[in-house]
Amino acid sequence: MFLITGSNGQLGTELSKLLPEAVLTDVADLDITDETAVKNFVSAHQIETIINCAAYTAVDKAEDDEDLAAKINIDGPRNLALSGAKIVHISTDYVFDGLAHKPYRPEDKANPVSVYGKTKLAGEQEVLKYAKEAVIIRTAWLYSPYGNNFVKTMRRLGAEKENLNVVADQIGTPTYAADLAQVIVQILPQISTENKGVYHFTNEGVCSWYDFARKIMELSELNCKVNPIPSSAYPTKATRPFYSVLDKSKIKQTFNIEIEHWEEGLKQCLKQL
Ligand SMILES: NC(=O)c1ccc[n+]([C@@H]2O[C@H](COP(=O)([O-])OP(=O)(O)OC[C@H]3O[C@@H](n4cnc5c(N)ncnc54)[C@H](OP(=O)(O)O)[C@@H]3O)[C@@H](O)[C@H]2O)c1
């Protein structure tokens, strides 16, 4: 039996559609920070594999809310790993400092520059320490038709404004949550003690938030002009990596995965909106 935690979130919702037989829980049904509740739930529902989509994902808010971010992003995954089930755990490109000049491989040194990134890295370490069979997938710039994300914000602002300033010096790869969900489903039957470890998955290609915003406007047929600005002109509470492109060779080779370009993922998402 599969358990999806955080099933009301962006990724959780996409996965729920692909795995209708899974047990779905969000914080109201199963709070992953409650060790006893997790243990009892896993045992009562005979869960063999947990896909952990639950997380504290408010990157800026986390700077002032470290205790709760740590509880959800560190204690939560530890509780899930301690339950004895196999686990697919999702992490982030924000574990890196963004000072590299070539795509980050899973084994490259992590050095998070935000509270969110630090808690997510510590969460990975708990999963690796306590789960026998675990696949950790770092992803980036996730969007979907659900919840709050950059695509939905740009479409809303693009319909309201004639001009929009968007940072052009942060480089990464947008990832359609449905594409990540598909990959997780493909990986599920292949999880073993041999392939325990950290993997990277985003869509293919590289862009800045400015490029991404322009493509959203173009494909949505919105006449809002997007202006490139430096991060210094758009201060945020949390520092973000300037460069967080992820090298996906390991996930492709280990699990025989093919990956769509980010523009294709975006087109698919826009069809749903
Ligand atoms: N979003 C991105 O751009 C991005 C980028 C890289 C990596 N990731 C990672 O990808 C994964 C999925 O992200 P997402 O965007 O799908 O997240 P999301 O939309 O924020 O969903 C997270 C879900 O977890 C729930 N949750 C929070 N605390 C919980 C708890 N204690 N117990 C159980 N559920 C709890 C949330 O409920 P509430 O809404 O009620 O709090 C929400 O439904 C996360 O691990 C995230 O760190 C995301």
Side-chain angles (χ1 to χ4, degrees):
M1 186 65 85
F2 298 119
L3 167 64
I4 301 174
T5 55
S7 64
N8 294 342
Q10 297 196 80
L11 180 61
T13 303
E14 294 291 359
L15 259 171
S16 310
K17 291 196 282 184
L18 297 180
L19 291 173
E21 72 277 27
V23 180
L24 310 181
T25 58
D26 209 283
V27 62
D29 327 290
L30 178 62
D31 180 344
I32 63 166
T33 68
D34 184 338
E35 186 182 346
T36 310
V38 168
K39 198 172 274 175
N40 291 342
F41 193 97
V42 166
S43 145
H45 291 82
Q46 299 180 315
I47 302 298
E48 283 167 24
T49 308
I50 300 168
I51 308 154
N52 182 29
C53 303
Y56 186 107
T57 56
V59 176
D60 290 310
K61 215 166 143 228
E63 296 296 310
D64 293 325
D65 201 8
E66 186 159 0
D67 288 351
L68 184 59
K71 237 178 131 184
I72 299 172
N73 291 346
I74 306 174
D75 300 354
R78 182 201 304 129
N79 294 339
L80 299 174
L82 282 169
S83 75
K86 295 183 192 180
I87 181 164
V88 177
H89 175 66
I90 312 302
S91 191
T92 171
D93 56 331
Y94 284 11
V95 300
F96 295 114
D97 59 20
L99 301 175
H101 298 285
K102 64 178 175 42
Y104 284 102
R105 295 165 304 169
E107 63 274 24
D108 286 340
K109 191 175 163 19
N111 182 30
V113 291
S114 62
V115 166
Y116 169 72
K118 281 180 194 151
T119 60
K120 291 295 289 184
L121 178 63
E124 292 180 4
Q125 289 158 353
E126 296 296 299
V127 170
L128 290 175
K129 188 167 167 192
Y130 293 110
K132 242 199 297 183
E133 293 164 280
V135 167
I136 295 171
I137 305 175
R138 293 185 185 137
T139 190
W141 299 20
L142 209 59
Y143 64 89
S144 77
Y146 314 104
N148 296 318
N149 58 62
F150 188 78
V151 173
K152 291 173 76 179
T153 304
M154 286 301 111
R155 278 167 60 94
R156 179 172 46 79
L157 294 175
E160 287 167 13
K161 293 168 163 256
E162 287 181 0
N163 271 279
L164 203 57
N165 296 339
V166 179
V167 297
D169 55 1
Q170 288 172 29
I171 310 293
T173 313
T175 304
Y176 182 31
D179 287 346
L180 174 55
Q182 193 78 57
V183 162
I184 292 171
V185 170
Q186 207 177 321
I187 288 174
L188 283 175
Q190 304 182 59
I191 302 172
S192 70
T193 45
E194 280 80 52
N195 54 34
K196 178 176 174 181
V198 179
Y199 297 83
H200 287 170
F201 177 86
T202 63
N203 280 115
E204 290 287 10
V206 172
C207 69
S208 67
W209 290 110
Y210 162 75
D211 299 322
F212 191 23
R214 282 190 50 153
K215 190 49 81 176
I216 295 164
M217 299 304 172
E218 180 196 318
L219 294 176
S220 306
E221 295 178 9
L222 290 165
N223 287 324
C224 176
K225 185 171 184 298
V226 182
N227 307 307
I229 56 160
S231 301
S232 55
Y234 186 76
T236 51
K237 192 107 198 175
T239 306
R240 282 152 172 86
F242 279 108
Y243 178 91
S244 65
V245 179
L246 300 179
D247 181 323
K248 303 172 288 293
S249 315
K250 185 178 169 190
I251 202 166
K252 286 187 200 171
Q253 284 156 14
T254 310
F255 300 112
N256 197 19
I257 286 192
E258 284 178 25
I259 307 180
E260 291 277 17
H261 192 272
W262 68 265
E263 289 188 20
E264 194 47 47
L266 178 58
K267 282 180 197 158
Q268 296 305 320
C269 179
L270 293 177
K271 278 189 202 159
Q272 311 283 320
L273 283 167

